[in-house]
């Protein structure tokens, strides 16, 4: 009897993201789900360990499909609190250009720890800042992910269109195309893992139409195709972006995406707000995924993603917290709550359900990242789990446990498991000096703003 065989027994409630009856719990063995037990069922074989989950609501580990970890250093900064996207970016770019490897490591650990405590087990980060001295940014992030024991899709972002050439970013933040492509190949070669259970994956992610050239977009698409990795960028986030594309390229955003070879199932896009019906149909037909970022979209007053229209057309939908300077939190269970509420404003209460939104945060997000081994609870899937208790005052008087997570505002998981290993126990990250991390990160944030 292997010591790794665990029965997660009789949960208070369980959401599988696929309709399976798992009210009897889950049997976990060697880091994967070995059995899904219906109500009243018991394991087919004895288990070395039994975890009584009667006080826990069990979810698949939540999956964050768009973030900028480094931005945890510039949260709630007064000069940008009331700015929309373009002015917000232009004010922050010079500050971000002072980022160092040490500050990036702290920012990444803070973002990951916050995500982990919210029930997130896999996170995609979009890092596109490589000023002098920060050429190894993704390598720094790999180390932080490994320290926290999470899974990550680290995207090698880029900016190649600076202010001098009509772009938005300052010149000290842009790189030459060949430098970007060479580093992209290096990172894929060194870090990208394939197959079930992968911890670190790499994707290619030119930042946005207003910060990279069409040439680097096209070359990135070709490289991604040849090396079989995914593509990611921001698109259709604001009307300013749409105007930029029309003025510079003579094309709307989806036409531009198509012109550089990005319209396909390898691609997932952050935000996806300002699409017309024809563009939604084209995205759906291509199988291009959209990461809905509700908090950021509200914070910057960008608009509301047309999720149900995109889904009906065939485009997968996932969730992301976006950068921690436009949210300003890194909390996936709260992000699902925001998605529930803002999407009801667009589509009505009957069509947007807690289960549907949790599906975006799990199975839908996994689909955006091209993964079939995470995002749902079924035999053979990774043992990535988020367990929440409903014993706080905010939940008192609630009746449906799954709905209560979102409607009553759950914000912290009690336990989180990744690949069969507990990474959060009793609301604390295993092996992490959280107070020390906060102190170091706070000092780094003050130094970054001050330029010291």
């Amino acid at each position: 009897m292997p010591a790794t065989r665990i029965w997660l027994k009789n949960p208070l409630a369980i959401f599988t993201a696929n309709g399976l009856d798992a009210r009897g719990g889950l049997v976990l063995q060697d880091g994967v789900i070995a059995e899904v037990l219906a109500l009243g069922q018991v394991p087919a074989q004895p288990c070395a360990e039994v975890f009584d989950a009667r006080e826990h609501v069990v979810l698949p580990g939540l999956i964050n499909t768009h973030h900028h970890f480094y931005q945890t250093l510039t949260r709630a900064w007064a000069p940008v609190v009331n700015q929309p996207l373009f002015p917000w970016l232009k004010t922050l770019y010079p500050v971000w250009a002072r980022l160092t490897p040490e500050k990036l490591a702290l920012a990444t650990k803070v973002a990951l720890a916050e995500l982990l405590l919210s029930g997130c087990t896999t996170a995609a980060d979009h890092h596109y800042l490589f000023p002098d001295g920060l050429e190894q940014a993704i390598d720094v992030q790999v180390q932080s992910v490994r320290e926290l024991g999470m899974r990550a899709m680290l995207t090698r972002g880029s900016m190649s269109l600076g202010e001098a050439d009509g772009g938005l970013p300052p010149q000290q933040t842009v790189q030459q195309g060949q430098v970007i492509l060479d580093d992209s190949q290096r990172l894929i070669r060194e870090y990208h893992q394939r197959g079930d259970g992968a911890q670190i994956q790499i994707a290619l992610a030119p930042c946005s139409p207003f910060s990279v050239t069409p040439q680097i977009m096209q070359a990135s698409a070709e490289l991604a195709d040849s090396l079989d990795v995914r593509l990611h960028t921001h698109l259709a986030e604001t009307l300013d972006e749409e105007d930029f594309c029309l003025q510079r390229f003579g094309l709307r955003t989806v036409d531009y995406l198509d012109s550089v070879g990005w319209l396909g199932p390898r691609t997932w896009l952050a935000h996806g707000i300002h699409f017309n019906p024809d563009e939604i149909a084209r995205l759906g037909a291509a199988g291009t995924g959209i990461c809905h970022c509700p908090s950021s979209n509200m914070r910057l007053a960008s608009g509301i993603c047309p999720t149900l229209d995109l889904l009906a057309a065939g485009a997968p939908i996932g969730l992301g917290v976006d950068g921690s300077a436009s949210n300003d939190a890194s909390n996936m269970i709260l992000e699902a709550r925001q998605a529930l509420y803002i999407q009801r404003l667009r589509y009505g209460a009957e069509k947007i359900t807690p289960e549907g939104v949790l599906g975006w945060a799990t199975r839908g997000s996994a689909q955006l990242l091209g993964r079939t081994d995470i995002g749902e609870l079924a035999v053979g899937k990774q043992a990535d789990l988020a367990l929440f208790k409903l014993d706080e005052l905010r939940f008192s008087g609630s009746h449906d446990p799954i709905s209560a997570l979102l409607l009553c505002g759950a914000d912290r998981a009690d336990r989180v498991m990744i690949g069969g290993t507990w990474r959060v126990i009793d609301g604390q990250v295993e092996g992490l000096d959280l107070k020390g991390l906060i102190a170091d990160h706070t000092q780094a944030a003050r130094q970054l703003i001050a330029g010291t």
Side-chain angles (χ1 to χ4, degrees):
M1 180 169 53
T4 54
R5 190 171 170 83
I6 303 168
W7 180 13
L8 201 72
K9 182 180 179 180
N10 298 338
L12 174 64
I14 187 164
F15 173 77
T16 58
N18 54 28
L20 289 176
D21 180 0
R23 288 176 292 173
L26 305 169
V27 176
L28 315 172
Q29 185 168 358
D30 299 327
V32 300
I33 298 171
E35 294 183 62
V36 175
L37 304 174
L39 185 65
Q41 283 188 321
V42 296
Q45 301 172 26
C47 294
E49 185 180 335
V50 177
F51 179 85
D52 187 347
R54 62 184 166 182
E55 296 183 352
H56 291 93
V57 181
V58 180
L59 308 179
L62 305 179
I63 301 169
N64 173 35
T65 54
H66 184 67
H67 207 322
H68 308 289
F69 294 160
Y70 75 89
Q71 291 183 12
T72 59
L73 293 162
T74 52
R75 297 200 258 209
W77 185 43
V80 296
V81 165
N82 301 315
Q83 290 184 329
L85 180 65
F86 273 24
W88 178 89
L89 281 171
K90 289 183 76 69
T91 306
L92 280 164
Y93 276 143
V95 176
W96 293 336
R98 300 195 287 262
L99 199 61
T100 64
E102 295 75 21
K103 289 181 174 63
L104 176 61
L106 287 167
T108 300
K109 286 178 192 174
V110 163
L112 288 170
E114 192 179 357
L115 286 166
L116 188 55
L117 288 167
S118 76
C120 177
T121 53
T122 301
D125 190 57
H126 189 180
H127 188 87
Y128 50 80
L129 271 173
F130 297 85
D132 289 346
L134 198 62
E135 291 82 4
Q136 308 296 310
I138 306 300
D139 305 78
V140 169
Q141 293 190 309
V142 167
Q143 182 59 34
S144 294
V145 171
R146 287 174 174 166
E147 287 180 29
L148 270 293
M150 293 179 69
R151 304 187 200 277
M153 173 74 84
L154 300 174
T155 73
R156 204 303 181 181
S158 54
M159 296 196 294
S160 61
L161 185 68
E163 286 177 316
D165 299 309
L168 215 63
Q171 289 304 121
Q172 70 265 37
T173 64
V174 302
Q175 290 182 303
Q176 294 300 310
Q178 197 57 51
V179 171
I180 293 164
L181 296 171
D182 288 346
D183 193 49
S184 297
Q185 292 184 67
R186 177 188 70 84
L187 291 166
I188 294 166
R189 183 174 62 249
E190 290 190 18
Y191 298 120
H192 185 68
Q193 299 173 337
R194 301 180 188 276
D196 290 356
Q199 181 183 25
I200 304 285
Q201 295 190 313
I202 304 293
L204 305 185
C207 184
S208 61
F210 51 81
S211 59
V212 295
T213 61
Q215 290 77 18
I216 201 66
M217 289 289 285
Q218 181 78 50
S220 295
E222 293 169 357
L223 184 61
D225 185 59
S226 68
L227 298 179
D228 190 24
V229 296
R230 298 186 81 75
L231 287 167
H232 182 54
T233 193
H234 300 92
L235 199 80
E237 182 176 1
T238 66
L239 293 174
D240 284 344
E241 178 193 325
E242 185 179 301
D243 291 341
F244 181 94
C245 286
L246 286 167
Q247 290 170 18
R248 187 170 184 92
F249 310 120
L251 299 168
R252 286 176 55 84
T253 54
V254 174
D255 290 327
Y256 175 69
L257 198 72
D258 197 7
S259 75
V260 291
W262 275 59
L263 201 58
R266 190 181 300 282
T267 299
W268 90 99
L269 307 169
H271 304 293
I273 296 168
H274 299 285
F275 297 133
N276 63 33
D278 174 65
E279 290 164 341
I280 289 171
R282 290 168 64 194
L283 289 162
T288 299
I290 307 295
C291 172
H292 178 32
C293 303
S295 295
S296 175
N297 296 163
M298 288 186 273
R299 159 83 151 81
L300 298 174
S302 301
I304 304 175
C305 177
T307 54
L308 295 192
D309 297 78
L310 286 158
L311 279 169
I317 297 290
L319 289 186
V321 301
D322 199 11
S324 287
S326 67
N327 183 321
D328 291 27
S330 307
N331 190 305
M332 270 301 289
I333 193 69
L334 284 181
E335 202 63 34
R337 185 181 202 234
Q338 294 284 48
L340 178 78
Y341 288 151
I342 194 172
Q343 289 298 320
R344 284 188 170 189
L345 284 180
R346 186 173 188 119
Y347 293 108
E350 301 91 344
K351 292 183 179 179
I352 304 294
T353 66
E355 291 83 0
V357 171
L358 287 171
W360 297 344
T362 53
R363 193 173 183 177
S365 283
Q367 193 174 353
L368 294 197
L369 302 185
R371 297 194 66 154
T372 58
D373 61 328
I374 57 175
E376 58 181 304
L377 305 181
V379 173
K381 306 297 182 183
Q382 296 295 305
D384 291 7
L385 309 171
L387 282 67
F388 294 83
K389 281 189 171 182
L390 304 182
D391 57 357
E392 294 179 68
L393 185 62
R394 76 185 74 185
F395 301 110
S396 181
S398 64
H399 299 275
D400 175 45
I402 300 293
S403 298
L405 288 179
L406 302 190
L407 299 180
C408 301
D411 64 359
R412 189 157 177 153
D414 179 63
R415 281 183 171 250
V416 178
M417 175 182 280
I418 302 175
T421 299
W422 292 115
R423 295 300 305 127
V424 173
I425 297 177
D426 297 332
Q428 303 296 321
V429 179
E430 288 287 279
L432 180 67
D433 176 9
L434 195 58
K435 286 186 177 179
L437 177 60
I438 291 171
D440 292 343
H441 181 263
T442 299
Q443 182 181 16
R446 288 172 179 157
Q447 291 173 343
L448 188 68
I449 294 295
T452 59

